[in-house]
Amino acid sequence: MRKFLIILLFLGSFCFAQKTENDAIKESVEKLFTGMKNADTVVIKSVFADNAILQTITKKEVVKTEKLQDFLSSFSKLSKNDADEKIRFEAIHIDGNLASVFTPYEFYYKGKFSHCGANSFQLVKQNNVWKIQYLIDTRRTNCNK
């Protein structure tokens, strides 16, 4: 009986160590912000699908589209820790190989608050890895901190 309990405890520990789909999705999104903070365009690019779409809703309520290459270029000009976007996972929804993630955020540039808003991500699972296919965000300064 004692051996059975030891084996059961040992096998049970593997169940707790398994990564969930939510964890894998969060990991992909968090990797984007780690890459941004480190001004590492290789890491940033790695989290996006090849034909990703990036958009921002401007203060004038215009939807502006940015090419991934332009987004990467903007971070290539920064130094480590210049850009720090602090996010909070508010919702993650999954259906098969599609995930939707909503993250309110605060953005700091060179240690000073710049703006806030929310990110809406659509991720697709490709070759068993979650990639950002679509990102749209809002940007505002009245954040009611």
Side-chain angles (χ1 to χ4, degrees), residues 104-119:
Y105 73 88
E106 293 179 350
F107 185 83
Y108 295 83
Y109 181 70
K110 295 188 177 185
K112 293 186 178 184
F113 175 79
S114 172
H115 61 275
C116 64
N119 300 306

Side-chain angles (χ1 to χ4, degrees), residues 24 48 50 52 63 78 90 95 97 122 131 140-141:
F48 284 98
D50 291 338
V63 177
L78 299 179
E90 199 165 271
D95 184 33
N97 291 331
Q122 298 298 308
K131 298 280 189 170
R140 54 190 166 74
T141 53

Side-chain angles (χ1 to χ4, degrees), residues 1 33 36 38 43 52 59 61 64-65 104 113 122 137 141:
M1 180 68 165
F33 297 107
M36 289 168 52
N38 291 328
V43 170
K59 293 176 187 175
E61 299 177 358
K64 177 185 159 201
T65 302
F113 175 79
Q122 298 298 308
D137 65 66
T141 53

Side-chain angles (χ1 to χ4, degrees), residues 19-32 43-50 52 89 92-101 121-134:
K19 185 169 34 171
T20 67
E21 286 298 312
N22 274 14
D23 292 335
I25 290 163
K26 283 182 178 181
E27 200 172 271
S28 289
V29 171
E30 288 169 338
K31 189 174 180 181
L32 167 63
V43 170
I44 296 169
K45 185 176 182 180
S46 75
V47 300
F48 284 98
D50 291 338
F89 287 92
I92 297 175
H93 301 283
I94 305 166
D95 184 33
N97 291 331
L98 172 68
S100 177
V101 179
F121 296 92
Q122 298 298 308
L123 291 91
V124 293
K125 194 172 189 181
Q126 299 175 328
N127 298 319
N128 218 26
V129 177
W130 287 100
K131 298 280 189 170
I132 300 167
Q133 175 62 48
Y134 180 62

Side-chain angles (χ1 to χ4, degrees), residues 8-27:
L8 188 62
L9 287 172
F10 177 73
L11 292 175
S13 67
F14 287 109
C15 295
F16 295 110
Q18 291 178 352
K19 185 169 34 171
T20 67
E21 286 298 312
N22 274 14
D23 292 335
I25 290 163
K26 283 182 178 181
E27 200 172 271

